Amino acid sequence: MDEISNKTLMAFLIAAIVISIGGTIISLERISRLGAPEVAGYATTGTANLTVLGTAAVVVNKNVDFGSGSPSSDVTNQTTLTTETANTGGFNDCTTGDNCLGLELENTGNVDVNITITAASDSNGFWSGTDTQGSFQFFVADGNRSKDETGSCHNASGAIVTEVSDWTAISTSPILMCYNFTYPSATDTLTVEFNLTIPTDEPVGYKENTFTFGFTQIS
Amino acid sequence: MESERARISILIMVVLVVVVSVLSVWTVLERTSPTNQYVPNQVEVHHGASVGSVSLRILPPSEAPNSNVKR
């Protein structure tokens, strides 16, 4: 093995010293950029930046189940089922309990939205009986099923009112329920009330209509 | 001979110092690189849909519980 000269050793040594000092400077500079306190015990200041992103979300808290019953066969006195009403024919009493006080929606996001309702079947598609006319109507009440959290729906002018405040026939096309369905937890619920008139010759069986509630963030 | 061994030892130590220094700098640069800092998924949701239902069961007149239907 050839001898290693003092010059070679010196060159390596100088390189090591330069790299060490350079590395130390770079490390200190990067660490100071992170805002790390240099001496424990001293007060220091820093900033934390964050951006809260908008999320539009609406959930159905409760569906409507009118239960089981037998409709009237009297064409002059058809059975009508209404949420929040003591219904006849053996169907659920909707003044008590939790089965049919209304279909409750809650804005669980952090942005205001407008919301529409679309039925899977309209009245003609839902009822099979033909002897008498059936109907399937709804309206939108501000607040939850317990009548709390009112002020959840505003129109385009800012007034507290839903877009469907009278009985209206359901449709397979979207119907605007509320222009501005707000998100603050004290005012973030709507209740859809239903009114059904059953044809006198409606066949025996289970019947269910599904509703899609489409929502879009208000820009 | 002893002098040569001493020089080789020093050379090895110097090389180790260089390697450790380079690795240290590389570690600091890698850990503080913006590309390695935590960036949450930035996804905004502007629209959606939920589904609810209305249901009932039609029974024959004879099976209606507590029925008060006119027949």
Side-chain angles (χ1 to χ4, degrees):
Chain A
M1 186 174 185
D2 294 338
E3 278 192 7
I4 300 168
S5 69
N6 287 338
K7 282 185 179 177
T8 306
L9 267 178
M10 182 61 74
F12 274 113
L13 198 55
I14 290 172
I17 291 170
V18 167
I19 290 172
S20 293
I21 293 174
T24 303
I25 292 170
I26 291 172
S27 297
L28 290 174
E29 192 270 336
R30 287 300 179 99
I31 289 168
S32 68
R33 230 189 273 175
L34 294 176
E38 295 175 359
V39 180
Y42 282 139
T44 186
T45 59
T47 57
N49 297 316
L50 60 89
T51 302
V52 177
L53 301 176
T55 300
V58 173
V59 299
V60 175
N61 284 339
K62 190 67 182 176
N63 292 307
V64 170
D65 178 12
F66 285 109
S68 302
S70 181
S72 167
S73 58
D74 183 351
V75 295
T76 63
N77 187 27
Q78 286 180 253
T79 297
T80 296
L81 304 179
T82 309
T83 49
E84 301 189 15
T85 299
N87 296 300
T88 61
F91 293 98
N92 286 338
D93 179 354
C94 298
T95 60
T96 61
D98 201 28
N99 290 318
C100 45
L101 283 174
L103 190 155
E104 184 180 289
L105 296 159
E106 181 175 1
N107 183 346
T108 57
N110 61 355
V111 294
D112 295 339
V113 298
N114 63 37
I115 185 165
T116 61
I117 180 173
T118 307
S121 302
D122 61 13
S123 179
N124 290 332
F126 184 75
W127 299 118
S128 302
T130 55
D131 282 357
T132 55
Q133 185 73 35
S135 70
F136 203 134
Q137 298 177 310
F138 78 104
F139 80 86
V140 183
D142 185 24
N144 61 20
R145 288 168 294 153
S146 303
K147 317 295 185 193
D148 297 323
E149 300 191 7
T150 53
S152 300
C153 182
H154 301 250
N155 65 12
S157 303
I160 298 175
V161 62
T162 69
E163 301 295 326
V164 187
S165 53
D166 292 319
W167 290 119
T168 301
I170 61 171
S171 173
T172 54
S173 298
I175 297 174
L176 181 64
M177 294 169 51
C178 177
Y179 176 80
N180 182 355
F181 185 14
T182 59
Y183 69 87
S185 58
T187 53
D188 66 348
T189 50
L190 294 175
T191 302
V192 186
E193 308 287 1
F194 290 96
N195 178 290
L196 287 65
T197 299
I198 307 175
T200 51
D201 61 340
E202 185 65 22
V204 168
Y206 178 74
K207 302 191 73 67
E208 181 178 65
N209 205 355
T210 58
F211 295 87
T212 301
F213 301 96
F215 49 89
T216 303
Q217 179 180 348
I218 297 174
S219 56
Chain B
M1 198 61 181
E2 286 298 318
S3 171
E4 182 61 18
R5 281 184 181 172
R7 285 181 177 179
I8 290 173
S9 299
I10 291 171
L11 179 62
I12 291 171
M13 284 190 284
V14 167
V15 169
L16 283 175
V17 167
V18 170
V19 169
V20 170
S21 297
V22 169
L23 284 176
S24 299
V25 173
W26 179 83
T27 302
V28 170
L29 291 175
E30 197 271 338
R31 290 292 175 90
T32 57
S33 168
T35 57
N36 289 319
Q37 292 176 9
Y38 173 69
V39 178
N41 292 328
Q42 298 187 343
V43 178
E44 287 202 323
V45 179
H46 301 291
H47 55 83
S50 53
V51 175
S53 68
V54 173
S55 61
L56 69 154
R57 182 177 296 279
I58 305 291
L59 300 176
S62 59
E63 294 181 21
N66 305 317
S67 175
N68 57 359
V69 175
K70 288 182 182 178
R71 295 190 181 91

